[in-house]
Amino acid sequence: MVKKLVFETISLGTEPEIPDAAELAQWVGMQRGKNADLLSHLLEASLTPQIDAGIIHPCTGGIFYGDRWKESLLGLSGDEITGELGVNPSYVADDAIRIRKITSGCRIAVPAPHTISLADRYYHDEDEVCHALYTQYRHLFRTMRDNGISGHVLSCEKPLPEELEALAGKRVFFFSESRDAESMAMLLEYQRAIAVNGRDLAILRGLGEEYEIDRIILMDPDNDDIKEVLRNYDPDCIQVGGYCSAGDEKYWENLVNSAAISLE
């Protein structure tokens, strides 16, 4: 007898292509009376294919959304911190309201603090500037949640313990590009969910004896990857995840299809 398993699908963000002039002009024509710019368009364009494909837990934004984050920070001159950090929450509030009108329960992916590369010309103290930056991140998170966003994904090149300590939580998930044993162990010190590829499963098996893991987000898996993770984890603990970075129009549809497998 063949048993079919269908896993929940989850997005951890996107990197959309810049639209051509005709597409953007058509979209702008529908924005009369609204606060809108290119980033507004990219948020919508990143989200709509996920909704159409049936992604259960959508997430728009990504590294590109760092431009909006910096736009919302006060005390910057370009990429330099030149004054006391603060926030202008109106930009991210508008984005959250726009997204909420498309779908509920959506998250936003944002670059982790260390990836937005701000040079300190004001505090002259690393601990002080980090504390100030993390505080403003929390303010912006709260603004978006107050306006309908369910949570955030922090995309990072490599997890940093000070960022995890300050920002990880029930509504903030860290997604790391680096997934060696050290990086994965650090993530699991602060969160019980982790996103991995099939090639990371051997490392994960070793860490599973030391850390309590409630949820495995298996990124872009094939059937063999899913069968491998099922040897060690209950199906209810597994989600199929994606981060669209190639501009593939069929990416989310293909991800949904990969989340259903047959077991003999």
Side-chain angles (χ1 to χ4, degrees):
M1 182 178 179
V2 176
K3 180 181 179 181
K4 187 174 184 179
L5 289 178
V6 180
F7 298 92
E8 285 190 350
T9 49
I10 184 168
S11 167
L12 297 182
T14 68
E15 296 303 326
E17 295 182 325
I18 301 299
D20 61 35
E23 178 185 346
L24 189 58
Q26 182 181 20
W27 180 83
V28 168
M30 299 185 292
Q31 304 303 309
R32 291 184 178 87
K34 303 177 183 178
N35 293 323
D37 59 11
L38 177 59
L39 287 172
S40 309
H41 177 275
L42 294 177
L43 285 175
E44 287 190 6
S46 300
L47 180 58
T48 302
Q50 299 179 42
I51 302 302
D52 292 344
I55 296 295
I56 302 298
H57 302 286
C59 175
T60 188
I63 297 300
F64 78 91
Y65 197 61
D67 289 342
R68 177 74 86 222
W69 221 243
K70 287 189 283 189
E71 184 181 27
S72 301
L73 290 173
L74 303 177
L76 299 187
S77 178
D79 289 335
E80 296 184 344
I81 300 172
T82 56
E84 188 78 26
L85 285 177
V87 294
N88 176 354
S90 61
Y91 302 116
V92 299
D94 287 342
D95 289 341
I97 292 167
R98 176 181 294 274
I99 292 164
R100 186 186 64 199
K101 290 179 178 179
I102 298 174
T103 187
S104 61
C106 185
R107 296 186 300 172
I108 294 283
V110 181
H114 74 271
T115 67
I116 61 174
S117 302
L118 298 177
D120 176 24
R121 302 286 183 262
Y122 177 77
Y123 293 95
H124 306 295
D125 181 277
E126 184 176 356
D127 289 340
E128 191 174 354
V129 72
C130 287
H131 174 75
L133 186 57
Y134 300 159
T135 297
Q136 307 320 315
Y137 260 70
R138 288 192 291 267
H139 287 167
L140 293 173
F141 289 160
R142 185 164 57 250
T143 294
M144 299 197 88
R145 292 199 302 266
D146 288 347
N147 286 280
I149 296 303
S150 65
H152 290 81
V153 174
L154 279 184
S155 300
C156 59
E157 297 167 1
K158 188 177 181 67
L160 300 181
E162 57 269 26
E163 290 185 355
L164 286 157
E165 177 71 30
L167 299 172
K170 184 177 180 180
R171 295 188 178 183
V172 178
F173 175 79
F174 275 78
F175 173 47
S176 174
E177 294 179 13
S178 172
R179 290 190 292 273
D180 55 23
E182 180 183 1
S183 296
M184 290 169 65
M186 187 179 299
L187 288 168
L188 291 170
E189 289 280 354
Y190 295 92
Q191 57 188 33
R192 292 185 178 181
I194 191 167
V196 296
N197 291 107
R199 63 180 177 271
D200 306 318
L201 293 177
I203 298 174
L204 188 65
R205 281 197 303 274
L207 294 173
E209 298 178 1
E210 184 176 354
Y211 297 97
E212 186 173 350
I213 304 174
D214 294 340
R215 182 163 50 105
I216 307 295
I217 301 173
L218 195 54
M219 303 294 290
D220 302 308
D222 58 26
N223 281 7
D224 289 340
D225 293 335
I226 295 176
K227 290 176 181 177
E228 174 65 22
V229 79
L230 282 171
R231 294 190 181 100
N232 297 283
Y233 293 94
D234 188 89
D236 292 340
C237 298
I238 302 167
Q239 293 177 321
V240 169
Y243 189 106
C244 182
S245 59
D248 182 356
E249 293 181 359
K250 296 289 187 180
Y251 176 83
W252 298 110
E253 182 180 332
N254 292 337
L255 189 77
V256 169
N257 290 336
S258 74
I261 69 166
S262 297
L263 300 175
E264 295 183 0

